[in-house]
Amino acid sequence: MTEQPHVSRLACPDHRVATILLAGGKGTRLHDLTVAESKPAVPFAGRNRIVDFAMANVIRSGLDRLVVATQFAPATLHHHLPACWGRHFAGGAMVLRDGRDRYLGTADAVRHNWQQIEDWQVDHVLVVAADHIYDMDYGALIAAHRASGAAVTVAVDVVPLAQASGFGVMHADANGRILSFLEKPAIPPAIPGEPDRAMVSMGIYVFDAGWLKDALFGRGIEALDFGHEVIPAAVAQDVAMAYRLPAGRSGRPYWRDVGTLEALRQSHMDFAAAQPARLPRISPTSEWYLARGSVMMPGAVVPPSARLTCTIVAPGTRIPQGLVVGEDPDEDARWFRCEGRTVLVTQAMLDRREAMRVPAILSAGSGAALHPRDVA
């Protein structure tokens, strides 16, 4: 049975907003963890999943009209979301839509689900990604959007300028009006007055429903993606505003795109360090944090004799007695997947290691030299 994350509703239901949760990401940079699972379905802090962060934010923001647009490997999400979160939508609706072989981009996913938005007769549409780790009150974002009079408001975070090239970067004036939007620029613009930092899109948008309908259906060129087409169009029309992520319960803003193994492990470490004021309003559901900065995913078994440093142990992996990981980069790279300081260990990798070690041990018994690491 799926355990229920802790979440508290902080706002009265806002029936004038439809939320579209984009949950179809393949997450190829998470490698073995997303071969058969979508990125939003990857486990986090025990039996929670990455998608639960966005879901907790939706619930506590009082939003109860939700379309979940899935695509790659949707089965887990189609089971997990109703089981874990369905009871929170008793007064509204949570609609899951399988978009395999249909959605051609983020904006196209919303286009395919537009009839549901029309049926709800809402004034605004909130679009959020399901694969980020963050704590946010969408209600405050929506209120700021309404007060601004803009057609589009983009939620933004601030990152060091040296890291900004991996994001969509905003350049805004002192009032928050977006002057330019650059998707992963080689030379990102700095924030005025903050030369070492840049303002980047969080992939969270609030639209006036009428403007978005026109953007999706009323143009000569069919928009497929928000970052590449829809948001630049809003900026060109001078109707886009930026909303800077405020501090959360931890006392500081927190948002992380866990698109890499290193980012995923580090987010676990941040989550563990946030006691007792956790970053989002979900709680760990099993023993998942190991010493030395390592993470054990559901179904994994790690004996006390093993020594793992900066390691992600994939679901269902059984670590052998005495295994040492994270101390010898050359040895780690021989058997496991390494990224920065992070080492991913899966059962398939361990099986391959065992299969290759046995012939080496047998050969050593016949007189060949045996490397100490072959008997580890």
Side-chain angles (χ1 to χ4, degrees), residues 6-8 10 50 52-61 129 132-141 155-157 202 204 243-257 267 270-271 274 276-282:
H6 169 71
V7 63
S8 58
L10 298 185
I50 292 174
D52 290 329
F53 288 78
M55 290 299 297
N57 291 333
V58 167
I59 299 303
R60 75 184 187 93
S61 301
H132 299 159
I133 305 297
Y134 64 107
D135 181 17
M136 185 176 188
D137 178 6
Y138 299 138
L141 165 64
V156 299
D157 195 18
M202 297 170 60
I204 300 171
Y243 174 85
R244 194 156 164 174
L245 179 67
R249 289 201 306 166
S250 64
R252 59 185 177 86
Y254 187 90
W255 171 77
R256 188 184 288 271
D257 179 358
S267 289
D270 294 341
F271 192 77
R278 298 192 174 277
L279 298 174
R281 285 165 172 78
I282 66 172

Side-chain angles (χ1 to χ4, degrees), residues 33 288 290 294-302 308 310-319 343-347 350:
L33 295 179
W288 53 270
L290 303 174
S294 295
V295 177
M296 181 173 66
M297 290 189 162
V301 177
V302 179
L308 309 180
C310 298
T311 301
I312 297 175
V313 185
T317 301
R318 302 183 67 88
I319 298 295
V343 183
L344 173 65
V345 179
T346 70
Q347 189 61 51
L350 290 173

Side-chain angles (χ1 to χ4, degrees), residues 193-228:
E194 301 180 57
D196 296 329
R197 303 204 295 173
M199 189 180 295
V200 302
S201 171
M202 297 170 60
I204 300 171
Y205 317 109
V206 184
F207 296 94
D208 284 356
W211 188 93
L212 181 57
K213 181 178 182 179
D214 181 62
L216 295 178
F217 297 98
R219 301 182 182 281
I221 299 176
E222 189 175 55
L224 299 177
D225 186 80
F226 284 116
H228 287 97

Side-chain angles (χ1 to χ4, degrees), residues 33-182:
L33 295 179
T34 51
V35 169
E37 286 284 17
S38 66
K39 183 180 171 186
V42 169
F44 192 97
R47 297 193 179 277
N48 298 298
R49 297 181 184 275
I50 292 174
V51 68
D52 290 329
F53 288 78
M55 290 299 297
N57 291 333
V58 167
I59 299 303
R60 75 184 187 93
S61 301
L63 302 173
D64 64 354
R65 279 152 176 63
L66 174 69
V67 174
V68 182
T70 62
Q71 190 165 23
F72 174 72
T76 296
L77 293 181
H78 281 250
H79 170 75
H80 172 77
L81 292 175
C84 191
W85 298 101
R87 68 182 182 87
H88 292 284
F89 292 87
M94 178 171 64
V95 179
L96 284 83
R97 294 281 171 76
D98 182 349
R100 281 176 291 184
D101 302 320
R102 289 195 297 148
Y103 304 154
L104 301 178
T106 54
D108 195 47
V110 176
R111 180 186 292 106
H112 274 87
N113 289 287
W114 190 259
Q115 186 57 55
Q116 182 62 73
I117 297 172
E118 290 276 322
D119 292 346
W120 282 330
Q121 299 181 340
V122 297
D123 299 324
H124 296 89
V125 179
L126 171 69
V127 178
V128 300
D131 54 5
H132 299 159
I133 305 297
Y134 64 107
D135 181 17
M136 185 176 188
D137 178 6
Y138 299 138
L141 165 64
I142 294 165
H145 172 77
R146 286 172 170 152
S148 73
V152 182
T153 299
V154 181
V156 299
D157 195 18
V158 173
V159 302
L161 190 64
Q163 301 175 12
S165 294
F167 301 93
V169 181
M170 305 286 174
H171 179 53
D173 64 18
N175 297 318
R177 183 171 61 94
I178 300 175
L179 305 176
S180 67
F181 175 81
L182 303 172

